[in-house]
Amino acid sequence: MALLLQVHRYFDNKKPQVPPSLCDKFILFHSPAVATARYAEVMKIIHSSDWHLGRSFHGFDISDSHKAFIRALAERASEEQPDAIIIAGDFFDRGVPSVETITIARQALEQLTAIAPVIITSGNHDSSVRLGWLKSFLIPQLRICSDITDVASPIYLRCRTFDTAPRIIEAHEVREAFHHGAEVGVLYGFPYLHPDFTRAALSNMVDAALERSHQSVMSAAVDMAAAHYRDVVVPLCKTQVASVIIAHAFITGGEESDSERDISVGGLNNVATSTFNRPLSADNPAPDSDAVSTVPRPSTNTASPVSSTVSDNSLDTTSESHTLISSDEVAEAALEGPQTSPSCIDYVALGHLHRPQIPQRRIDNTQPDIVYCGSPIAFSFSEAGYTKVQYIATITRGKPAILKTFDTPVLRPVSRLRGTLAELTDGRYNDCKDHLVEVTVTDEQRPLSMYRQVKTYFPYAASIMWESSTPPCDNTPVSHRRIKAHERMDIIESFMLKTGGGTQLTPEEKDVLKTVYEEVNDEVWQ
């Protein structure tokens, strides 16, 4: 095998005498392992996010669910042997986690870093300063991206080969990695970019004034990452390598649940999918064929394209734009000829939304895959009935990622039950007795001892409400509504209207209320 590798490298350096495509096919046919080592040009990651360690569910402790998920993740990582495990924000649920929560986090990272490098970015629930205060002293297999300067300081990943484990390397080690038959991937880890706390620093870094919006700061960060890829990574690697952005944001078209914290600034919280479409521009063209290897490098992932089906309606696996591409299709496309891509970014690993979904699937070479893996555990009743998954993404430069999912374990399912008290306790819902349940009692009159009777039958009832079968037409209590983040300002304005004698708020007063609301939200985040 070593001899074949040396022969291949000899002919690879003698391209005028031996056509690269013939040489590639010879090596691939006679020794797939050698081809994997030198020509994989893929980066395999486990994409995770929104662990929210330390969170409770309506007062119920769910630390056992977190521990079960971590065990399952470690087992699956041992099977898949990824090049990196990514946690895209909200590792902790609060800025100051409890001692028990820190113990769970430490044990999780000990298990996972023994398998592959782990890369964590800070989310809107994490305190970026507290999460990253020891980042300079971490072990080589663990990186935390919590500082604004991380947006243009990529992590170079030496991908796994047939005889070496993956590891994070420095820029000066890139050429050595290529020399020893490994491929290199590059990852840009963005901390959560709160406009009020990051736009001044980003304005200085891009030398331009930025608006007070999520769109503005994310665009600036992506521009910096794309410029770094064009100007530094491609010349350093002398080829275009697989690239990933890790971010924590709300992308336009994403489907929310009730468990995400509102991140609106100035009434807006979204970022357009086109923000991540950053081609190699005319001012920074891709290097010519003499400088950049254009030898087709086939995918070697032989696993099935989908190991489980996601039941989330937002991830329709029958939709053309969301079809999970198989490894065989990508390998066949790779063997047909060089597949160059004008896009600087191949895959965007997102956190923040708790449902698995794909806002943008790569259908041409000018755009990346944009993927939410969702939270591994349900944190609200709006997530009842949805399968929680994590993604395994095999990323090939210039091609759609090969996506697989695996279900996360569910120790205590989440269910919503609705009916009269007699219907709820007549045995038809016996399968839900051990579930975390939201119970809505619909008797015409509120039953006596309703709370006690429901808790006796459903000991894990986390929410109990009465909703008359004949409610008033225009006076439904706010407490009975499913309040989403974008409705909160409407509720505040409605309250001010009622308490102010019916006087409508002026635009100036609305602006003051919005500012106060955002300031309180910022204090919670910090």
Side-chain angles (χ1 to χ4, degrees):
M1 188 174 293
L3 179 61
L4 279 173
L5 183 58
Q6 292 180 12
V7 170
H8 182 269
R9 285 175 176 163
Y10 173 79
F11 283 124
D12 197 33
N13 293 328
K14 302 287 185 179
K15 291 182 180 179
Q17 287 90 352
V18 180
S21 59
L22 294 177
C23 191
D24 293 339
K25 292 178 180 179
F26 174 84
I27 293 297
L28 181 62
F29 179 80
H30 288 280
S31 182
V34 174
T36 301
R38 181 65 184 93
Y39 284 105
E41 200 175 52
V42 295
M43 177 168 49
K44 186 177 184 181
I45 63 171
I46 290 182
H47 173 191
S48 182
S49 75
D50 294 276
W51 289 19
H52 289 278
L53 294 177
R55 189 163 186 159
S56 62
F57 191 100
H58 290 262
F60 284 93
D61 181 13
I62 55 174
S63 59
D64 285 346
S65 295
H66 274 119
K67 293 174 183 177
F69 158 67
I70 291 166
R71 286 194 298 270
L73 178 62
E75 291 173 2
R76 192 57 185 259
S78 295
E79 296 172 6
E80 294 288 342
Q81 295 292 289
D83 295 313
I85 300 169
I86 289 172
I87 305 173
D90 285 352
F91 182 60
F92 291 115
D93 186 59
R94 60 188 64 183
V96 185
S98 67
V99 173
E100 181 186 2
T101 301
I102 292 175
T103 300
I104 295 173
R106 176 180 58 80
Q107 293 171 347
L109 295 178
E110 286 175 352
Q111 293 179 59
L112 297 178
T113 53
I115 300 168
V118 176
I119 301 167
I120 303 174
T121 61
S122 58
N124 61 297
H125 277 251
D126 301 304
S127 167
S128 58
V129 175
R130 292 185 177 95
L131 183 65
W133 79 281
L134 280 175
K135 60 188 298 184
S136 301
F137 304 95
L138 297 177
I139 62 174
Q141 289 289 84
L142 176 61
R143 290 291 175 90
I144 294 178
C145 302
S146 60
D147 191 86
I148 193 65
T149 58
D150 291 325
V151 299
S153 301
I155 296 169
Y156 294 97
L157 190 66
R158 186 188 191 278
C159 297
R160 188 183 302 273
T161 63
F162 65 91
D163 62 349
T164 59
R167 64 185 180 90
I168 295 171
I169 60 175
E170 301 300 327
H172 66 270
E173 299 177 276
V174 168
R175 297 313 305 164
E176 181 183 359
F178 283 132
H179 177 72
H180 286 88
E183 288 297 340
V184 173
V186 60
L187 304 98
Y188 294 90
F190 292 5
Y192 170 59
L193 301 174
H194 191 299
D196 288 341
F197 298 102
T198 60
R199 68 188 180 114
L202 285 170
S203 294
N204 293 333
M205 295 167 76
V206 299
D207 194 24
L210 299 179
E211 296 179 354
R212 184 175 177 258
S213 70
H214 285 277
Q215 178 65 61
S216 179
V217 294
M218 184 63 74
S219 293
V222 175
D223 279 340
M224 292 174 62
H228 184 278
Y229 183 86
R230 300 184 195 108
D231 301 340
V232 178
V233 174
V234 172
L236 174 67
C237 298
K238 297 184 179 177
T239 185
Q240 298 176 42
V241 298
S243 57
V244 173
I245 281 180
I246 310 167
H248 196 87
F250 176 79
I251 302 301
T252 302
E255 185 178 355
E256 297 176 273
S257 63
D258 293 344
S259 55
E260 297 100 1
R261 181 182 292 168
D262 182 20
I263 59 171
S264 298
V265 172
L268 299 175
N269 64 356
N270 60 310
V271 175
T273 55
S274 59
T275 305
F276 300 95
N277 302 344
R278 289 293 189 270
L280 292 167
S281 67
D283 295 332
N284 294 279
D288 58 31
S289 57
D290 293 333
V292 177
S293 172
T294 57
V295 177
R297 300 182 178 185
S299 167
T300 56
N301 180 20
T302 58
S304 60
V306 185
S307 59
S308 64
T309 302
V310 183
S311 62
D312 192 332
N313 295 332
S314 62
L315 180 54
D316 180 7
T317 55
T318 63
S319 170
E320 182 179 355
S321 62
H322 292 164
T323 300
L324 304 185
I325 308 297
S326 72
S327 57
D328 291 340
E329 291 173 314
V330 175
E332 182 179 355
L335 288 173
E336 289 177 356
Q339 300 290 319
T340 58
S341 168
S343 175
C344 293
I345 307 303
D346 294 300
Y347 185 92
V348 181
L350 290 175
H352 181 55
L353 297 186
H354 292 174
R355 292 179 177 177
Q357 49 198 297
I358 306 177
Q360 177 174 283
R361 195 68 168 105
R362 187 171 199 149
I363 56 175
D364 60 42
N365 287 334
T366 64
Q367 59 188 23
D369 289 305
I370 301 178
V371 180
Y372 284 104
C373 64
S375 63
I377 300 170
F379 297 121
S380 69
F381 287 112
S382 66
E383 298 160 75
Y386 291 96
T387 303
K388 289 294 184 177
V389 303
Q390 300 291 275
Y391 275 107
I392 304 164
T394 303
I395 302 160
T396 306
R397 176 63 185 161
K399 301 179 180 66
I402 304 165
L403 297 178
K404 296 196 302 178
T405 63
F406 68 92
D407 295 352
T408 60
V410 180
L411 294 188
R412 200 173 296 284
V414 173
S415 300
R416 275 177 161 165
L417 308 180
R418 183 183 181 87
T420 65
L421 188 59
E423 292 169 344
L424 291 166
T425 58
D426 65 4
R428 69 183 68 184
Y429 296 116
N430 281 350
D431 291 344
C432 298
K433 279 193 171 184
D434 293 329
H435 294 194
L436 289 164
V437 295
E438 177 193 72
V439 178
T440 302
V441 180
T442 60
D443 292 73
E444 187 170 347
Q445 299 294 325
R446 191 182 194 279
L448 294 174
S449 305
M450 178 187 74
Y451 185 88
R452 179 181 58 80
Q453 292 187 66
V454 171
K455 285 292 283 185
T456 299
Y457 202 81
F458 300 103
Y460 297 99
S463 175
I464 303 172
M465 298 179 293
W466 170 64
E467 190 174 298
S468 175
S469 56
T470 56
C473 296
D474 58 355
N475 195 31
T476 303
V478 172
S479 60
H480 288 184
R481 295 179 52 199
R482 309 282 179 253
I483 301 173
K484 294 184 179 295
H486 63 271
E487 297 176 324
R488 290 171 183 165
M489 280 305 303
D490 294 337
I491 294 170
I492 295 172
E493 291 179 16
S494 176
F495 173 78
M496 297 298 294
L497 180 65
K498 290 181 179 180
T499 58
T503 304
Q504 293 287 344
L505 296 177
T506 66
E508 292 77 13
E509 290 172 331
K510 290 182 179 180
D511 288 341
V512 171
L513 278 177
K514 186 181 298 182
T515 301
V516 172
Y517 169 73
E518 291 173 356
E519 288 178 353
V520 172
N521 228 15
D522 292 346
E523 289 180 9
V524 173
W525 176 67
Q526 288 180 298

